[in-house]
Amino acid sequence: MTSSFAERYAYGPWHDGPDPLAPPVDLRAALDEIGRDVMDGSSPRSALEELLRRGTGDLTGLDELTRRLWQRRREIQRRNNLDGTLQEVRRLLDEALEAERAALFPDPDDEARFREAQLDALPPGTAAAVRELADYDWRSERAREAYEKIRDLLGRELMESRFEGMKEALQTVRPEDVERIRRMMADLNDLLLAHLRGEDTTQQFADFMRQHGEFFPENPRNTEELIDALAARAAAAQRMLNSMSAGQRAELAELMGSAFGDASMLEQIATLDANLRALRPGEDWTGSARFRGENPLGFGEGAAAMQELAELDALAEQLAQSYPGARLEDIDVESLRQHLGDQAGVDARRLAELERELRNAGLLERAEDGSLRLSAKALRRLGQTALKDVVGSLRSRRGERDTALAGAAGELTGATRPWQFGDTEPWDVSRTVRNAVLRTASTSDGKVQLDVVDVEISETEQRTRAAVALCVDTSWSMVQDNRWVPMKRTALALHQLITTRFRTDALQLITFGRHARTVELAELVGLEGVWEQGTNLHHALLLAGRHLRRNPDARPVVLVVTDGEPTAHLEPDGEAVFQYPPGRTTLVKTIAEVDALARLGASVTVFKLGDDPSLAKFVDLIAQRGGGRVVAPDLDGLGAAVVSDYLRTRRRGP
């Protein structure tokens, strides 16, 4: 006999760890966002934290999850108030008194009048009236039942405030139930006292759970877990009491002496609270919250609400990641899912996975000073993205294929690509034949025939070696006018092109503000804008000339990205002199370095950003003196302009 499909399989939500069918996190998109923030002046750690806070694509970030936590917290406080137990006891008391008076009214004897006088003389306070009626001999059975409901309600609320789910388990309270609770409380306090004394309570805990495990749906595995659960609940109950007015607090405390009609029960609870305070002093026993809604909460429900507020606060702290050593793995995903829904848990897991993968993939590393920085691998990936954007810009602007980046003739790079119409590079014969064999292997006759789709060509580099100096302006105006990130992306693209396609070329990155200096790519990418006066192109060209002289066999290429005319120069003693408007000395010294570079065979190409007329006149003068060019790209086209000019200069040959 075969079972039906429905009998053999069951389907439901996936809760056991990350969804195995979920798409992998997009590390490249995440790295691009981190890279943009780093290039904009953020530290890698701050950029990573910002990425996790705002999320990526359809992945909810920490800020949105935190906002929803606070919204849930506000809903709890705005919807509820904490006098539910007092209201319910007052209602039951009024019901009992009304029924008793109705039973006494028809009776003409003095006993009935005396009882009526007793009822009339009850104290106005609810708790005092309940206490006064403890020994009253009810004539009305309905009144007696209503009064007994008060005692049972108080007992259930008292137990629910300390033990989750107890109120529902005690909907009907029998004498044997009260005795069972009394024994459990006594055994529990004995266990906690033994643990407090430092005794080994392993066996005592096992015996306790075997006898009273039904009272603990959390199913703790040891005494410590039991204490954690009880202390969190007891502290929440205390915070609820702290949140009530002094009058409400006093009345509720007096009422609880009538729980189950047994004053010893409250004594056991007091002993339990004292033990838990001693064992878990770090719990919040003094906090409070303001409830201003219309929905009345009982004592147990109020304790549960306070515990939920505490859990929401703990989750908010975990999402804030503001404590030392914080990791997204610290987030209690199950608690987040319970409070905000399944999707919130999924988002938190994927954010943690994203953070973990970014670290494990080697995209972030520790510097010598302990700070987080982008690794060489991350810089390569950012460079690939920047270069891809540049190539796309060149294609859209000029309709070119990717041939310019591979060279037209010369030494082989080791890379191949499918042939395209117009290619003149040599065929890679072995890969071409292999492609044909694989394509025709399934044919019946087994004959191998070449087709144009099989052809692969070998990429080559021109044999000319270049010494490239990229001088980038890092004065404050570059930051102020939003030219900072395009400048860095330009450097990334050029660096990626040279290190992957023209490996024999020597690239030197030079920054210039008040002073000029040579930098590595990682330093340039992470460079923060600094307010300083001076655009020292003179110093930058000095460093460029030094780089060219170290590579005398290479073709010299000098590229300058700037948005302002030179306003500083370097004195022989190393002091940078600022002059604004540009002084004659600054201009003369800068032009002298242009002439010196020209004598080395280098022409300076200036990429002029902005519409400063004085800058335009100066860069035109540079072009005339050194045989260079002036290019005025927009910010989106800066990278394409620099890469294109580098390739143009390089192709001219020696």
Side-chain angles (χ1 to χ4, degrees):
M1 187 176 78
T2 60
S3 60
S4 68
F5 183 85
E7 292 173 336
R8 286 181 291 144
Y9 300 97
Y11 296 89
W14 177 270
H15 296 311
D16 299 332
D19 184 355
L21 300 181
V25 293
D26 190 348
L27 289 183
R28 184 174 291 277
L31 179 61
D32 286 344
E33 292 195 39
I34 291 174
R36 278 195 294 271
D37 287 345
V38 169
M39 288 187 285
D40 205 19
S42 298
S43 69
R45 179 174 183 80
S46 297
L48 173 59
E49 291 172 350
E50 179 61 26
L51 171 70
L52 297 175
R53 282 196 293 267
R54 67 174 177 253
T56 60
D58 59 351
L59 185 58
T60 302
L62 298 178
D63 281 351
E64 173 60 20
L65 293 175
T66 302
R67 185 195 66 78
R68 290 164 58 187
L69 284 177
W70 288 117
Q71 181 180 15
R72 171 62 182 156
R73 198 184 199 286
R74 287 193 297 270
E75 287 174 357
I76 293 173
Q77 293 180 269
R78 289 176 177 174
R79 186 174 65 244
N80 303 306
N81 62 60
L82 298 179
D83 60 353
T85 297
L86 297 178
Q87 288 186 28
E88 182 62 12
V89 170
R90 183 77 250 180
R91 186 189 68 78
L92 289 171
L93 179 61
D94 290 343
E95 181 181 325
L97 294 176
E98 182 182 357
E100 182 68 6
R101 285 192 171 97
L104 293 173
F105 180 74
D107 196 337
D109 62 15
D110 293 338
E111 175 69 18
R113 303 289 79 75
F114 176 74
R115 288 174 179 268
E116 287 177 341
Q118 279 185 286
L119 299 181
D120 292 339
L122 286 173
T126 303
V130 170
R131 186 181 66 251
E132 286 286 327
L133 292 170
D135 298 322
Y136 181 80
D137 184 15
W138 299 90
R139 182 170 293 187
S140 166
E141 188 60 32
R142 188 164 71 89
R144 184 189 307 277
E145 290 176 357
Y147 185 79
E148 289 300 324
K149 285 181 180 179
I150 292 176
R151 290 180 165 182
D152 293 345
L153 170 68
L154 292 173
R156 293 198 307 271
E157 293 285 6
L158 183 62
M159 291 298 102
E160 176 71 11
S161 70
R162 300 307 193 278
F163 305 96
E164 185 177 358
M166 185 73 79
K167 186 177 180 181
E168 288 75 15
L170 296 174
Q171 285 296 331
T172 57
V173 182
R174 299 166 297 177
E176 54 267 31
D177 294 327
V178 177
E179 179 60 28
R180 194 157 46 93
I181 293 171
R182 187 182 294 109
R183 288 198 305 271
M184 182 273 292
M185 291 293 299
D187 292 345
L188 175 59
N189 280 320
D190 288 343
L191 172 63
L192 297 184
L193 280 171
H195 197 75
L196 188 59
R197 290 192 297 266
E199 299 176 11
D200 183 359
T201 57
T202 304
Q203 186 57 49
Q204 190 176 355
F205 170 79
D207 295 340
F208 175 81
M209 290 300 295
R210 186 165 51 253
Q211 295 180 43
H212 308 297
E214 60 186 301
F215 293 104
F216 303 94
E218 305 94 342
N219 195 27
R221 294 171 295 181
N222 51 52
T223 307
E224 288 292 331
E225 289 190 5
L226 175 64
I227 293 172
D228 286 340
L230 291 174
R233 190 74 170 186
Q238 183 59 54
R239 292 195 301 275
M240 178 200 168
L241 291 173
N242 299 342
S243 304
M244 302 175 76
S245 68
Q248 289 176 321
R249 192 160 52 245
E251 192 165 16
L252 186 60
E254 188 176 353
L255 279 172
M256 287 305 168
S258 303
F260 293 135
D262 184 356
S264 66
M265 194 68 70
L266 189 59
E267 295 176 4
Q268 291 279 16
I269 289 292
T271 302
L272 173 64
D273 287 351
N275 290 333
L276 292 173
R277 280 176 178 264
L279 288 163
R280 291 293 183 270
E283 285 285 348
D284 182 7
W285 300 94
T286 59
S288 62
R290 182 185 176 192
F291 289 78
R292 50 190 183 277
E294 300 295 329
N295 179 48
L297 297 179
F299 192 20
E301 294 170 332
M306 296 301 298
Q307 190 168 6
E308 183 174 2
L309 292 182
E311 291 171 359
L312 292 173
D313 290 344
L315 283 170
E317 183 179 3
Q318 294 165 14
L319 293 177
Q321 297 282 285
S322 57
Y323 49 91
R327 292 288 185 91
L328 291 188
E329 284 88 348
D330 301 340
I331 297 174
D332 187 341
V333 175
E334 183 59 28
S335 177
L336 189 67
R337 187 183 66 80
Q338 290 174 357
H339 291 294
L340 296 185
D342 292 342
Q343 188 57 46
V346 171
D347 288 336
R349 277 200 181 97
R350 295 201 66 200
L351 284 172
E353 180 186 356
L354 175 60
E355 180 190 42
R356 185 173 58 253
E357 289 300 318
L358 281 169
R359 295 179 187 273
N360 294 345
L363 300 177
L364 300 170
E365 63 183 14
R366 292 286 176 187
E368 293 179 358
D369 61 359
S371 63
L372 208 61
R373 68 182 182 189
L374 296 177
S375 67
K377 182 178 181 181
L379 291 172
R380 286 195 299 272
R381 289 199 180 184
L382 290 174
Q384 290 169 3
T385 302
L387 183 57
K388 181 180 178 182
D389 292 343
V390 165
V391 173
S393 178
L394 287 172
R395 286 175 175 171
S396 62
R397 188 178 67 186
R398 296 162 57 183
E400 295 178 350
R401 300 189 315 278
D402 195 16
T403 56
L405 300 184
E411 59 187 4
L412 298 175
T413 66
T416 65
R417 60 180 172 81
W419 176 86
Q420 300 179 42
F421 179 77
D423 285 331
T424 59
E425 291 83 354
W427 285 18
D428 186 310
V429 178
S430 61
R431 292 189 66 86
T432 299
V433 173
R434 176 177 175 274
N435 293 340
V437 170
L438 291 175
R439 183 177 53 79
T440 59
S442 60
T443 58
S444 58
D445 56 9
K447 294 181 179 179
V448 177
Q449 293 182 338
L450 288 179
D451 190 270
V452 68
V453 298
D454 303 321
V455 177
E456 287 201 28
I457 60 173
S458 300
E459 290 189 344
T460 61
E461 289 183 341
Q462 293 177 307
R463 290 190 176 89
T464 302
R465 177 173 176 269
V468 186
L470 175 62
C471 306
V472 292
D473 187 347
T474 56
S475 60
W476 182 250
S477 59
M478 292 286 286
V479 179
Q480 191 175 25
D481 295 330
N482 298 319
R483 295 160 183 158
W484 197 248
V485 174
M487 174 270 289
K488 293 183 178 182
R489 288 182 62 83
T490 297
L492 273 169
L494 184 62
H495 184 276
Q496 178 70 14
L497 175 61
I498 290 175
T499 55
T500 58
R501 299 296 183 93
F502 301 100
R503 298 180 183 90
T504 60
D505 284 5
L507 172 64
Q508 180 70 74
L509 300 174
I510 300 170
T511 64
F512 62 97
R514 184 69 168 263
H515 289 85
R517 61 191 183 98
T518 60
V519 295
E520 297 297 325
L521 180 65
E523 186 179 0
L524 176 60
V525 169
L527 190 65
E528 297 184 20
V530 177
W531 168 256
E532 63 175 359
Q533 291 180 314
T535 302
N536 200 336
L537 180 58
H538 166 242
H539 193 186
L541 296 179
L542 274 172
L543 296 179
R546 186 181 303 170
H547 175 62
L548 300 185
R549 292 184 186 93
R550 283 199 298 263
N551 297 274
D553 61 330
R555 179 168 190 80
V557 180
V558 180
L559 310 170
V560 176
V561 177
T562 185
D563 67 347
E565 56 187 325
T567 55
H569 66 270
L570 199 67
E571 291 290 340
D573 61 359
E575 180 186 359
V577 178
F578 172 72
Q579 293 181 335
Y580 185 83
R584 183 175 186 281
T585 304
T586 297
L587 296 176
V588 168
K589 284 181 172 288
T590 304
I591 292 297
E593 285 307 313
V594 173
D595 294 342
L597 291 174
R599 288 193 293 272
L600 293 174
S603 57
V604 179
T605 301
V606 180
F607 299 88
K608 178 178 70 71
L609 304 178
D611 301 319
D612 183 356
S614 299
L615 174 61
K617 291 179 181 179
F618 177 76
V619 296
D620 286 342
L621 177 61
I622 288 180
Q624 294 170 12
R625 291 292 292 263
R629 295 200 313 148
V630 176
V631 182
D634 56 28
L635 289 181
D636 292 336
L638 176 60
V642 171
V643 168
S644 179
D645 194 81
Y646 159 71
L647 293 172
R648 179 192 64 81
T649 306
R650 202 180 189 286
R651 280 198 297 266
R652 290 190 307 184

